[in-house]
Amino acid sequence: MKLFAFISVNFIFCILLPSCNDNKRRKPDTGKAGITIVDISKARSLPAIGDAIKEIQFIPLETNDSSIVSTVNKAILYESEIYILDKEQRSLKVFGKDGNYLRSIGSLGKGPGEFTIINDFIIDPREKKILILSNNEQGIFEFSLQGKYIRSIKHRLYGNSFSRIDGKYYYHINQNVNDLSKHYNLIAVDSSGKVLDRLFPFPKSFGGGLSFSGFIFKNKKGFLYSSALSDTIYQIAAAGNGIYPKYVFDFGESAIPLSVKKSFDSFMKEGLRYSFLHNYVVESEDVLAFTYQDRGKIISAFCIRENGAGNSLIPVKFTFPIGHPIGLTGEGKVVSFISVAGFISALKAGKISELYLKEEFPELYELLPTLEVSDNPILTIVEFEMPQNF
């Protein structure tokens, strides 16, 4: 039984073309790695998601006046601490591995080291820094891991998410076009804000306020990247090793036609009839976990990479108590979360039975007497395994 309500999402319109800059078009470097096909058309649901879980941990995040978390947009586990991005609360909070609240990074305001919005954050393990992206301030704030403000960098770009590799800052851009980003989805700049490359053009004709789409998530070789209405995830490689397609998603007959991708009007009329990648993806050496939109519903799924046959993977769909994959631990475990308010509501409505919890997820069942509707989310850390006879 799926706990989370399906949500509708507006998308920007981007046709994933070979990487290009203003003057010339370059073909993706496909020689660096083989392309893996993720066959969504064969995605399967299990009678019980527990059949695909090797280990699961539930971590209630402490709730007090200083630690309120409305939702978890991103989670990074680093050096025994959990960093939680909550865009609704415009905050970055740090919890221990036991869920105890430790501190907040930065604060709201317009003074030195203060911001009025948080769009994304990353942790730089080499320099032991936290980097926070704030569109209202058009730049990046640097803090120590303990929350001491270091400096801010003005890039004059409006990104939904960002990453840094080899001294370059990469911004994912959607409708927030300006003279620097122009009509491109991925912008690379140096520390001074000088544009080094503009990648993945999108049509100049679309308009209107459109919500977040696309993602940038780091992996060992650099980071993964995809844009709206896409069926391809690209590897952005470190040390000048190029950009190349790594995963191509086969949606079968439900794949969104190019004609619908190109036209705002066509998508608004017909888009929810089709399937395409959504906002979240995490990747370890063994697991690829992601979300995709399937005819109006947001589906979470995973693949065991080492189990692929001929570079083709068949996904297993998530069900409760695992939500969207929002992070990854150093051990390759997927991080997600449970909304306590939604959880309690589902229990009262009979959508989830206490007997089911007691039998399948006893650790979560034992938490029931302690939960209040106003509590912070429960973080879940999951290690998947391929079900038998799959």
Side-chain angles (χ1 to χ4, degrees), residues 57-295:
Q57 181 182 6
F58 299 98
I59 305 176
L61 300 178
E62 180 186 355
T63 305
N64 60 44
D65 291 342
S66 301
S67 70
I68 299 300
V69 174
S70 298
T71 189
V72 183
N73 298 106
K74 184 174 183 179
I76 295 179
L77 278 67
Y78 182 73
E79 292 189 346
S80 301
E81 295 182 340
I82 306 169
Y83 294 76
I84 301 291
L85 171 62
D86 180 354
K87 293 183 180 180
E88 184 175 330
Q89 294 288 329
R90 297 177 292 172
S91 68
L92 177 60
K93 293 183 172 64
V94 187
F95 296 82
K97 278 196 171 181
D98 55 3
N100 288 335
Y101 172 70
L102 300 178
R103 60 188 176 276
S104 295
I105 306 297
S107 60
L108 296 177
K110 296 186 177 181
E114 296 178 335
F115 40 77
T116 56
I117 192 172
I118 298 183
N119 297 88
D120 194 13
F121 83 103
I122 61 174
I123 292 178
D124 184 330
R126 290 185 180 180
E127 298 184 8
K128 304 288 184 180
K129 291 180 181 178
I130 300 166
L131 283 68
I132 292 177
L133 170 65
S134 176
N135 274 348
N136 285 359
E137 282 65 45
Q138 299 181 52
I140 292 170
F141 291 83
E142 291 187 358
F143 292 87
S144 71
L145 295 178
Q146 294 303 313
K148 181 180 179 181
Y149 171 63
I150 300 172
R151 65 167 180 162
S152 60
I153 306 171
K154 293 286 187 179
H155 285 163
R156 297 191 299 115
L157 286 165
Y158 301 90
N160 298 98
S161 54
F162 81 115
S163 191
R164 187 171 72 174
I165 183 173
D166 293 338
K168 296 180 182 179
Y169 297 81
Y170 288 84
Y171 286 79
H172 174 271
I173 307 293
N174 59 20
Q175 80 274 21
N176 296 313
V177 176
N178 66 12
D179 60 331
L180 290 181
S181 61
K182 301 186 186 297
H183 287 267
Y184 291 82
N185 278 134
L186 191 63
I187 311 298
V189 303
D190 62 17
S191 58
S192 70
K194 178 183 177 182
V195 175
L196 303 174
D197 215 345
R198 297 181 179 93
L199 310 165
F200 301 101
F202 55 86
K204 297 181 180 181
S205 58
F206 82 84
L210 301 166
S211 60
F212 171 75
S213 186
F215 53 80
I216 300 177
F217 286 89
K218 192 172 182 181
N219 62 8
K220 289 184 177 180
K221 294 182 180 179
F223 58 85
L224 299 176
Y225 176 80
S226 183
S227 289
L229 307 186
S230 168
D231 62 0
T232 304
I233 295 177
Y234 288 81
Q235 175 73 52
I236 313 294
N241 288 327
I243 301 172
Y244 51 89
K246 187 170 186 179
Y247 299 102
V248 174
F249 287 66
D250 181 1
F251 292 104
E253 295 181 356
S254 67
I256 187 167
L258 185 59
S259 59
V260 175
K261 289 184 182 182
K262 284 184 175 181
S263 167
F264 180 86
D265 290 338
S266 294
F267 179 77
M268 294 306 294
K269 293 177 181 177
E270 305 179 45
L272 296 185
R273 295 169 49 191
Y274 301 103
S275 300
F276 40 85
L277 280 171
H278 191 238
N279 299 50
Y280 302 95
V281 63
V282 295
E283 177 198 48
S284 71
E285 292 183 359
D286 299 324
V287 174
L288 176 71
F290 55 91
T291 58
Y292 64 97
Q293 177 148 311
D294 181 29
R295 285 159 283 200

